[in-house]
Amino acid sequence: MTLKLSPSILTADFSALATELRSVSEWVDWFHLDVMDGHYVENITFGPTVVEAIRRVVDRPLHVHLMISEPARYVDWFARVGADRISFHPEVVPDPRTVVDQIRGAGAQAGLAVHPDVPVETIAPFVGDIAVVLMMTVRPGFGGQAYLDEVTPKIAHARRLVEKTGSDAEIEVDGGVNLTTVDRAVDAGADILVAGSAIFDGKNPPAAARRMRERLDVLGSRT
């Protein structure tokens, strides 16, 4: 089993973002871009112009995670500037299938994000039409939070749901993932690990990315 590493740029140094991202690219499979609007979550991050700039400086695929209250308004724009995957939270829209179809129609892969307080069953009707189930192991809004152990059984639940339906959707785990917690997420069924402050630690991001990559390779070789 090949486990994938997807650093979140949320805690990267935005004054030297291109340098930060290029410095870790060797060890990563995706970059995870958290878009927040100050409505669905308290924080505000960035919009399509930053995604477009990142697309110009890295050759890894980009997963845009929309933590926003009106994802349908921005899907086409994010796809146009270079998002390879776009995930959103289904509880913010009347009909998640419409937005899933919109994302796919825009040329990106669709994903559904599961907030720690939202049941996994919420995504069940759509699992066959998405590329990724994004399991949040923190309450979204800010980087540097601690991994919520109570979400680990939900990761396993999502894994069973994907397998039961015959979907090829990947399970991505986002929040508090570091060298101490990564084993729990993988053992529960994660395919892709999002690590933010564990990679962009303000000290040595390339070394941190290499250590996480090495750990994922060890964990992947066990299965």
Side-chain angles (χ1 to χ4, degrees):
M1 179 180 181
T2 301
L3 297 169
K4 298 176 183 177
L5 176 59
S6 181
S8 168
I9 71 166
L10 197 57
T11 56
D13 180 356
F14 272 66
S15 70
L17 191 55
T19 299
E20 290 262 283
L21 300 187
R22 285 171 173 155
S23 77
V24 302
S25 286
E26 178 180 350
W27 297 281
V28 310
D29 302 284
W30 288 78
F31 281 105
H32 189 91
L33 313 182
D34 291 309
V35 174
M36 306 181 193
D37 65 354
H39 295 280
Y40 178 68
V41 294
E42 184 179 356
N43 199 6
I44 298 174
T45 55
F46 51 81
T49 54
V50 171
V51 176
E52 184 176 27
I54 293 170
R55 177 72 288 159
R56 292 197 299 266
V57 300
V58 299
D59 60 3
R60 295 294 187 264
L62 306 180
H63 182 178
V64 172
H65 175 194
L66 298 179
M67 299 185 222
I68 65 178
S69 59
E70 297 183 84
R73 289 185 59 184
Y74 300 97
V75 160
D76 292 343
W77 194 356
F78 280 108
R80 191 165 58 246
V81 298
D84 298 282
R85 281 182 176 173
I86 300 174
S87 293
F88 67 99
H89 290 259
E91 68 271 20
V92 304
V93 297
D95 181 7
R97 189 174 300 282
T98 299
V99 183
V100 167
D101 290 345
Q102 181 186 0
I103 294 169
R104 297 173 68 182
Q109 297 177 348
L112 288 172
V114 181
H115 188 287
D117 300 328
V118 172
V120 174
E121 287 79 9
T122 303
I123 66 165
F126 318 105
V127 167
D129 298 315
I130 60 177
V132 63
V133 177
L134 179 59
M135 299 298 300
M136 298 297 298
T137 43
V138 296
R139 288 180 175 80
F142 295 90
Q145 298 185 62
Y147 180 95
L148 295 174
D149 278 305
E150 60 265 33
V151 181
T152 302
K154 291 179 66 176
I155 300 171
H157 186 172
R159 174 88 273 159
R160 292 191 299 272
L161 177 63
V162 165
E163 292 175 352
K164 180 180 178 180
T165 58
S167 170
D168 59 1
E170 296 180 290
I171 305 295
E172 185 164 348
V173 174
D174 178 10
V177 174
N178 54 42
L179 289 174
T180 300
T181 60
V182 66
D183 291 37
R184 304 172 214 170
V186 170
D187 289 344
D191 301 300
I192 306 174
L193 288 306
V194 177
S197 55
I199 302 295
F200 296 112
D201 58 3
K203 300 174 184 177
N204 192 334
R210 178 174 42 77
R211 288 192 295 268
M212 184 64 77
R213 173 76 271 155
E214 290 170 350
R215 184 59 191 160
L216 292 182
D217 289 345
V218 169
L219 293 173
S221 69
R222 301 186 317 186
T223 59

